[in-house]
Amino acid sequence: MHIFHTISDLRAHLRAHRMLGQSIGFVPTMGALHEGHLSLIAASKAQNDLTVCSIFVNPIQFNNPDDLARYPRTLDVDCAMLAPAGCDVVFAPSAEEMYPEKALLKFDFGDLERVMEGQFRPGHFNGVGIVVAKLFNIVQPDRTYFGQKDLQQVAVVRRMMIDLGFQIELHPCPTLREADGLAMSSRNRNLTAEERPIAAHIFKGLTAAKTALLTGETAEMVKAQMATHFEQQPAFRLEYFEVVNAHTLQSVDKKQPDGQTALCIAAFLGKVRLIDNFVF
Ligand code: PAF
């Protein structure tokens, strides 16, 4: 496995592979890797000659400096996981390499970012848009793989790819879960031993909400039940729970046709902000 820290070294390496006609799959990450990331690597390996994984904690997508400071940085451990998973190339640039000058570009994803993550993390999707567009231009992959846990991120990246005409196939991949249902996330490792079992209440709440919607309850009723569920869990601070159309991400008042309903949640458990969603 090759590890590159500069854009020029990575480009030179990938150019040689491209000239051999090899296809490139790309998994962008912020490191602190877990099985969920490895499933993206596996998906890329199944479809491409070469798999590239970027590891870059992108400062401009964090609106909260504490969250950025707390974000785990574990490059050596990450590389030790990626090599046996068959990843071919790791790109781990510094912030100076990615942003020699402050990025001035501003993305506005309209209604897609006025809700949920975009509403609670102002500027977040601008930072995601800039770094993903830049990484796409650097790596120039044929296919890219994103986790569905970040449903809104996938929607924003899809829209950016359409608007900017990126000729890259976007492959959203299913969320991987722990045995108790907690969605795998780099942030889970910041949970304390006491918090970790409580974190499963997110999955329990989503499961109950899904059942209620499938049995004909309205979004309003389900949202009220979710608020009560979290009031009974004082360790949590529910930031939002929304019933939305899975494509537009706008609120809906009842279950949508199959595959088009998404339940999206963000909650703080102690200092750790967790997000999750169900699409059905
Ligand atoms: O999902 C993430 O880890 C990040 O938002 C991404 C896509 C790597 C951009 O920094």
Side-chain angles (χ1 to χ4, degrees), residues 27-31 37 54 56-58 61-62 71 124 127-129 131-132 135 146-147 150 153 157 186:
V27 179
T29 80
M30 297 205 299
H37 294 111
S54 64
F56 177 60
V57 181
N58 176 32
Q61 70 185 72
F62 286 80
Y71 204 87
H124 170 65
V128 169
V131 80
V132 172
L135 288 167
F146 281 74
D150 296 297
Q153 172 168 278
V157 168
S186 306

Side-chain angles (χ1 to χ4, degrees), residues 35-109:
E35 288 296 320
H37 294 111
L38 297 186
S39 74
L40 305 180
I41 299 288
S44 170
K45 281 187 63 64
Q47 293 184 312
N48 301 283
D49 298 313
L50 200 78
T51 291
V52 179
C53 176
S54 64
I55 297 182
F56 177 60
V57 181
N58 176 32
I60 67 167
Q61 70 185 72
F62 286 80
N63 58 318
N64 175 343
D66 291 343
D67 194 20
L68 174 61
R70 256 197 312 273
Y71 204 87
R73 288 155 173 89
T74 56
L75 182 61
D76 292 346
V77 179
D78 292 341
C79 289
M81 290 170 74
L82 287 170
C87 178
D88 301 291
V89 175
V90 173
F91 178 48
S94 64
E96 294 70 35
E97 179 71 8
M98 285 298 279
Y99 303 116
E101 289 180 32
K102 186 175 180 289
L104 295 180
L105 180 67
K106 291 273 178 268
F107 280 108
D108 182 340
F109 294 101

Side-chain angles (χ1 to χ4, degrees), residues 159-215:
R159 187 67 219 190
M160 182 196 72
M161 291 171 72
I162 293 169
D163 285 2
L164 296 182
F166 279 107
Q167 271 203 315
I168 302 170
E169 282 175 26
L170 173 62
H171 292 262
C173 300
T175 303
L176 260 60
R177 298 184 178 279
E178 305 289 353
D180 62 0
L182 177 65
M184 289 189 187
S185 163
S186 306
R187 288 188 162 86
N188 294 353
R189 64 183 74 191
N190 287 340
L191 294 169
T192 64
E194 294 76 43
E195 287 166 348
R196 174 58 194 84
I198 304 174
H201 276 286
I202 293 188
F203 181 75
K204 286 184 191 151
L206 285 174
T207 306
K210 177 180 172 183
T211 307
L213 276 176
L214 288 173
T215 53

